[in-house]
Amino acid sequence: MRLRALLDTDALGLRLLGGEDELDRAVRGVMTTDLRDPSRYLSGGELVLTGLAWRRDAADSEPFVRILAQAGVAALAAGEAELGDIPDDLVVACARHRLPLFAVHESVAFATITEHVVRQVSSERAGDLAAVVDRHRRMMTAGPAGGGPDVVLDLLGSDLDLRAWVLSPAGRLIAGPKAAGPALPAEVCGKLAAEHLAAVRTGRRGPHRLTLGQTAYSLFPIRSSGRSPQGARDARETVLSDWLLAVEADAGEWPGERLDLLQGVTQLIAVERDRRDAARTVRRRLAQEILELVQAGAVPAEIAARLRVAAPVLLPGLGAAPHWQVVVARVEWDGAEIEGGPVAQSLLEEILVDPRATGPEPSDRIAVAHTGDEAIALVPLPAVSAEHDGSEAGILADALLESVRDPLSAGLDDDGRVTLGVSAAVHSAEGLRGALEEARHARRVAAARPGRVCAAGHQELASHVLLLPFVPDDVRRAFTARLLDPLRDYDLRHRAELIPTLEAFLDCDGSWTRCATRLHLHVNTLRYRVGRIEQLTGRDLSRLEDKLDFFLALRMS
């Protein structure tokens, strides 16, 4: 806005005292100060408001005005509430430095002027940014990518003073402004994603707002044409695949024009999302071909040939044939006819990021196929992983689960489940079929556990838990009820804590002393409780067979 526009607004109560020839100056902000030297807080183009508390005598006006002029401020507005008429020495100093001077009537609060200037400047900036965004959209849709989401986020920062980030549904930071200070912490990303997914599942309209610590955020969904609500019969088809735009601001009081602008920004980022999805077509096709060969029992030489074709696409420039991991995922919804395979495919493409990978888009090195309700990821590991024994290389189920559990649980609400299985790294085509079966077995182990998001790795398949997922549900229920229901009933009636005692006793390998110490009991009290367990169940905890039955019953319960 121009200084001249301030005089045209009667509600601001401004009276021009000097600088009529400078009224076409642009105002880019506003600042209120009574410091004798406010230069450290000035960047140029501000309307400076002052109550003149810095002025002790006439000699103070000249240095104060000189500081403002050197900082490039647009004008000075002095309040009449403190001294009445504006001092002549200030008028003279402003005229000498060609700094426009306004008098502010004592009935007008500085806050009124500040709100007016901020509103006008923001509106004009929004109009300028809208034009830039529209031009950028045309560039991206008509030809090669225009720089990706980072460019748009930088525009938000430079033109609207808004810090913003693009996040995946699992809370992975996809893009952020390059010149906006430190990156958003992973913990904050996860909480923002969880809030967004929870809001989407409850049907609340965006933007969704929340405060973390002292910082307010507004969350805008990013939906491409293929993921729009009109194209999806059920929100659950897209909730685990849509990106979101997190803006460090409370959009609750924003005018409609600014909200419309942010919606335009999300549409622009969605164009880049569509472009990246299209680029994944080749990787998906490679994964599908390899998967079909593996499942059909093709000879290792044929599978190896396909892997040699895939390696340059997934690991460009590395030259060496990588090792491979397989990750299997399944997304299931209670009482809904939703094909889980495509949802799980999109999800794996977002959450499987090799920490050793470099480049702007590490997830583009993951090839994911889907069949039915299952998605299968072929994850290449650089040859440097050969220095490890396989158990340390690549993706670990526990780390993967920890990074996505909270956000995804919010999106799954109380009617969805995600289960993941991770294989060990294999070094050749001969091991790929075994890796696929290993990942599938691990996923079944994960599915046997409670919780909305569960994962298991190949390390767990070397123990008894490998057998538990394959026991029919009715057999499991009957087995655990026969052994544990008498103890639960007794605990309920007498608060005897027999179940916790049994768990501790088995965990201490039947050691009376160690178990009594852990439970803070006298050994005789422990012997009494174990005797009661044996009496109620008809079992003998000195026998290995009975110990094993109790152990399995507790694991299956």
Side-chain angles (χ1 to χ4, degrees):
M1 66 178 300
R2 304 292 176 181
L3 287 174
R4 193 179 305 280
L6 296 175
L7 291 174
D8 296 336
T9 307
D10 295 338
L12 299 183
L14 296 178
R15 180 165 51 91
L16 184 64
L17 300 181
E20 184 174 0
D21 294 339
E22 306 293 333
L23 291 181
D24 285 329
R25 289 187 181 185
V27 179
R28 294 195 293 271
V30 62
M31 176 189 173
T32 299
T33 184
D34 276 313
L35 295 174
R36 295 171 63 84
D37 182 2
S39 58
R40 72 184 70 178
Y41 304 111
L42 297 170
S43 58
E46 296 93 349
L47 171 66
V48 174
L49 306 175
T50 180
L52 300 176
W54 51 266
R55 183 184 180 278
R56 292 170 298 188
D57 54 48
D60 292 333
S61 293
E62 168 62 25
F64 180 78
V65 172
R66 183 172 64 251
I67 289 171
L68 298 188
Q70 291 173 347
V73 303
L76 174 66
E80 295 178 326
E82 183 71 22
L83 301 178
D85 293 336
I86 304 304
D88 290 339
D89 49 271
L90 182 59
V91 176
V92 171
C94 286
R96 181 180 299 115
H97 291 280
R98 300 180 63 84
L99 182 67
L101 176 63
F102 299 96
V104 182
H105 193 272
E106 62 180 2
S107 64
V108 178
F110 282 173
T112 301
I113 301 174
T114 299
E115 291 174 5
H116 176 82
V117 172
V118 169
R119 186 164 55 248
Q120 294 298 317
V121 170
S122 296
S123 176
E124 292 179 4
R125 285 183 177 178
D128 293 340
L129 180 59
V132 173
V133 167
D134 184 64
R135 182 173 68 253
H136 197 71
R137 181 188 295 112
R138 291 196 300 271
M139 289 170 57
M140 293 180 68
T141 55
D150 295 325
V151 173
V152 183
L153 301 183
D154 285 335
L155 288 174
L156 284 176
S158 62
D159 286 48
L160 287 184
D161 298 324
L162 291 176
R163 300 179 70 206
W165 302 264
V166 178
L167 306 178
S168 80
R172 182 170 69 88
L173 181 61
I174 293 171
K178 297 177 181 177
L184 204 60
E187 180 182 1
V188 173
C189 291
K191 291 180 179 179
L192 294 177
E195 172 64 22
H196 172 74
L197 293 179
V200 171
R201 286 305 312 276
T202 57
R204 302 196 331 246
R205 296 187 60 185
H208 314 301
R209 293 144 46 211
L210 76 157
T211 300
L212 297 178
Q214 301 297 317
T215 306
Y217 296 92
S218 298
L219 311 177
F220 297 80
I222 298 172
R223 299 189 180 98
S224 68
S225 57
R227 298 181 179 82
S228 64
Q230 294 81 5
R233 299 186 307 273
D234 191 314
R236 290 172 291 187
E237 295 180 15
T238 64
V239 67
L240 298 184
S241 58
D242 283 338
W243 289 354
L244 66 135
L245 177 68
V247 180
E248 190 180 272
D250 187 344
E253 301 299 325
W254 282 5
E257 294 82 0
R258 177 169 282 206
L259 288 173
D260 289 343
L261 172 62
L262 265 293
Q263 294 297 341
V265 169
T266 64
Q267 293 170 11
L268 181 56
I269 296 173
V271 172
E272 180 66 15
R273 171 68 186 273
D274 289 343
R275 190 182 300 279
R276 294 189 184 189
D277 281 350
R280 287 174 173 166
T281 302
V282 174
R283 288 183 293 276
R284 288 175 174 177
R285 185 182 303 119
L286 287 171
Q288 195 72 43
E289 291 175 354
I290 295 169
L291 172 63
E292 291 172 357
L293 289 173
V294 171
Q295 294 190 125
V299 296
E302 187 176 359
I303 299 174
R306 292 290 185 181
L307 289 176
R308 283 194 295 273
V309 172
V313 176
L314 299 176
L315 291 174
L318 290 188
H323 307 304
W324 303 90
Q325 260 182 302
V326 175
V327 181
V328 173
R330 184 181 288 264
V331 177
E332 299 169 294
W333 303 98
D334 297 338
E337 295 183 1
I338 298 174
E339 188 179 1
V343 179
Q345 182 182 48
S346 295
L347 186 62
L348 282 183
E349 288 173 337
E350 293 297 343
I351 68 176
L352 289 180
V353 178
D354 182 356
R356 288 179 295 275
T358 59
E361 188 53 63
S363 69
D364 280 347
R365 300 183 176 190
I366 312 296
V368 187
H370 73 85
T371 173
D373 289 333
E374 184 181 69
I376 301 168
L378 187 64
V379 183
L381 305 176
V384 69
S385 299
E387 299 173 4
H388 301 285
D389 63 4
S391 63
E392 299 175 5
I395 296 167
L396 299 177
D398 289 344
L400 182 62
L401 179 64
E402 184 64 27
S403 65
V404 302
R405 180 196 289 115
D406 291 343
L408 294 186
S409 295
L412 294 163
D413 198 16
D414 60 355
D415 61 347
R417 286 200 84 197
V418 171
T419 50
L420 302 160
V422 183
S423 79
V426 295
H427 310 280
S428 64
E430 288 86 348
L432 206 54
R433 184 183 181 105
L436 175 58
E437 292 305 316
E438 191 174 59
R440 282 175 166 163
H441 281 305
R443 193 207 63 78
R444 294 189 190 103
V445 170
R449 296 171 174 166
R452 290 291 163 191
V453 184
C454 300
H458 62 93
Q459 302 93 334
E460 301 176 62
L461 302 187
S463 72
H464 63 280
V465 295
L466 173 61
L467 303 175
L468 299 185
F470 308 104
V471 179
D473 288 344
D474 55 346
V475 175
R476 290 155 61 97
R477 285 192 294 268
F479 180 73
T480 57
R482 185 168 63 252
L483 278 176
L484 301 182
D485 280 2
L487 306 182
R488 292 194 181 101
D489 293 342
Y490 191 87
D491 281 348
L492 190 62
R493 294 196 308 269
H494 302 284
R495 298 182 180 179
E497 298 187 355
L498 296 185
I499 292 287
T501 300
L502 175 61
E503 291 175 331
F505 187 71
L506 295 175
D507 196 42
C508 292
D509 298 324
S511 169
W512 298 96
T513 304
R514 283 195 289 125
C515 184
T517 301
R518 174 180 294 191
L519 296 175
H520 305 290
L521 297 175
H522 192 278
V523 172
N524 289 340
T525 303
L526 176 60
R527 290 185 183 276
Y528 171 80
R529 288 188 182 180
V530 170
R532 179 63 66 182
I533 291 171
E534 294 175 334
Q535 180 185 18
L536 291 170
T537 61
R539 299 298 185 108
D540 182 355
L541 277 170
S542 65
R543 298 178 69 247
L544 176 61
E545 293 86 348
D546 287 343
K547 287 180 180 177
L548 182 58
D549 282 349
F550 276 122
F551 180 79
L552 292 174
L554 288 168
R555 281 300 182 98
M556 289 191 291
S557 64

